[in-house]
Amino acid sequence: MKAATFQGAFKIEVKDVDDPKIQEPNDAILKVTAAGICGSDMHAYDGRMPLPPTGWIIGHEYIGEVVEVGPGVKNFKPGDRAVGSFVSACGECWYCQKGWPSVCTRAQTIGFFMVPGAQAEYLRVPNAHFTLAKVPDNVSDEKGIFVGDIFSTGYFCADRGEIQPGDVVAVVGSGPVGLFAQMAALTFDPKVVLAIDSMPERLAMSRKIGAVPVDMKNEDAVSVVRQHSEGRGADVVLEAVGYAESLKSCFSYVRPAGIISAVGMYTEPEFPFPMFQAFLRDLTFKIGMCPVERYMGKLLGLISEGKVDPSIIITHTLPLAEAARGYDIFHHRTENCIKILLKP
Ligand SMILES: [Zn+2]
């Protein structure tokens, strides 16, 4: 099959590789019909996160058609359309049972280190019985794919913010995850969702979603947040960037006794946490990786009912053969790129 392979920093090549095969009873093989290029793929692409041997297949956002299942997989059959989590979880360990598959003791990350990735014609999905969700007929690949990673992550971020009707929500970042945090936040009936970013095309997308864009380059974002909240600050701040600087900014947007919920992927090892300020202001701070399996079914339902349309953020759809160009566009944020899908 053809697959996008990592050949060293900034070097992606589409090559012929062996087709994946069923290895464990709970495996399924998916014929990939669309795969995303994700912000976290950039950690590998630019060399921040070292990947295993040259030739590794990247990609963990996928949707497709089941073509083969192992004997343990009873809930899927060939021909089913399925989308799946970027972390394959067992569904049986203590954490999976408690609703935290993101920290499954037998978790296998797809596209990073453990399971070869999804930017390919076929993908082996371990623990398919738990990792995959069936895609309703009226949900297109473009609408459904993101529940396996970034839409669930954005929703998780908003969900953990415990948004109450009438709340002022500030979202730091209008990248793909930030946009989905905004889309998710709007489903909780807030007074306003303020989208804080500096890139015009991203802010324009936030407006399209229904958030109020705040251009932090040309506006004082802290005062804008205060103007919307009778001077208090945001009830809930959602962080979706993944740099210490943006995490730090959350503390200036949040009101006393407010909640900060962060899902940005940090590669910086430490952050000078403002403990005294957090104590005096009674702040709640949450951070973490989304337990995707908890959200996939619910979000596919919202999409199927027409309540949200995640496909709105896709700016580029490229054939898999043009994966290298896709990575280049995404990395340099050229062509007003926000989100790229690859189609094998
Ligand atoms: Zn588990």
Side-chain angles (χ1 to χ4, degrees):
M1 68 167 181
K2 300 272 184 214
T5 65
F6 179 71
Q7 303 287 338
F10 302 106
K11 206 160 173 227
I12 301 291
E13 277 176 28
V14 175
K15 293 208 157 178
D16 282 307
V17 300
D18 291 340
D19 286 0
K21 294 191 166 43
I22 298 280
Q23 294 176 15
E24 301 288 336
N26 289 337
D27 283 356
I29 303 296
L30 215 59
K31 181 183 195 301
V32 178
T33 47
I37 297 179
C38 179
S40 52
D41 293 333
M42 291 299 126
H43 292 247
Y45 181 65
D46 66 15
R48 268 179 291 169
M49 179 197 279
L51 280 181
T54 304
W56 181 256
I57 305 169
I58 313 184
H60 56 273
E61 292 180 350
Y62 58 92
I63 191 164
E65 186 190 315
V66 174
V67 290
E68 195 183 349
V69 293
V73 182
K74 308 290 186 202
N75 51 344
F76 286 92
K77 59 180 191 315
D80 286 344
R81 285 177 69 227
V83 61
S85 167
F86 65 100
V87 176
S88 153
C90 75
E92 284 144 30
C93 73
W94 192 89
Y95 294 102
C96 281
Q97 292 291 316
K98 297 281 182 195
W100 288 101
S102 46
V103 287
C104 169
T105 55
R106 287 174 287 220
Q108 300 180 60
T109 49
I110 294 173
F112 295 111
F113 308 106
M114 302 176 92
V115 183
Q119 290 161 10
E121 289 178 293
Y122 294 93
L123 172 71
R124 179 177 72 87
V125 180
N127 296 310
H129 64 299
F130 186 68
T131 302
L132 294 178
K134 269 190 193 133
V135 180
D137 288 341
N138 72 341
V139 174
S140 64
D141 285 352
E142 286 75 8
K143 287 183 179 178
I145 184 171
F146 302 125
V147 307
D149 182 3
I150 54 175
F151 187 29
S152 283
T153 295
Y155 195 91
F156 170 65
C157 186
D159 194 22
R160 277 188 132 190
E162 299 176 31
I163 301 164
Q164 305 298 312
D167 270 358
V168 172
V169 180
V171 181
V172 179
S174 284
V177 174
L179 290 167
F180 285 142
Q182 294 157 25
M183 189 181 281
L186 285 162
T187 68
F188 291 88
D189 198 21
K191 177 183 163 206
V192 65
V193 173
L194 302 166
I196 303 167
D197 202 293
S198 60
M199 297 181 68
E201 66 275 14
R202 292 184 170 202
L203 290 167
M205 190 66 83
S206 290
R207 188 185 296 282
K208 210 164 148 188
I209 281 172
V212 173
V214 181
D215 179 356
M216 58 188 285
K217 219 186 248 170
N218 298 306
E219 294 174 87
D220 176 359
V222 172
S223 354
V224 176
V225 172
R226 290 205 177 134
Q227 279 158 26
H228 282 272
S229 56
E230 298 171 332
R232 285 188 296 272
D235 301 294
V236 179
V237 180
L238 309 179
E239 197 282 343
V241 179
Y243 286 108
E245 212 42 48
S246 58
L247 192 57
K248 199 174 152 195
S249 74
C250 297
F251 289 85
S252 51
Y253 300 132
V254 73
R255 68 158 162 80
I259 297 178
I260 297 171
S261 168
V263 293
M265 181 173 161
Y266 294 88
T267 43
E268 292 134 311
E270 285 178 21
F271 168 74
F273 189 83
M275 291 176 286
F276 193 49
Q277 189 203 139
F279 169 77
L280 284 180
R281 300 178 70 216
D282 270 316
L283 300 182
T284 300
F285 179 79
K286 305 182 191 183
I287 186 165
M289 182 166 68
C290 175
V292 172
E293 288 87 344
R294 202 200 290 172
Y295 291 99
M296 286 194 296
K298 178 190 174 71
L299 297 184
L300 285 167
L302 288 180
I303 298 165
S304 178
E305 291 160 19
K307 294 198 169 124
V308 287
D309 178 4
S311 69
I312 192 170
I313 76 158
I314 300 168
T315 50
H316 293 68
T317 302
L318 302 175
L320 178 66
E322 291 180 36
R325 187 166 89 82
Y327 271 83
D328 187 67
I329 295 169
F330 193 83
H331 179 75
H332 295 289
R333 296 176 177 175
T334 49
E335 301 182 15
N336 289 329
C337 172
I338 289 176
K339 189 69 188 180
I340 299 179
L341 284 196
L342 299 173
K343 293 227 164 178

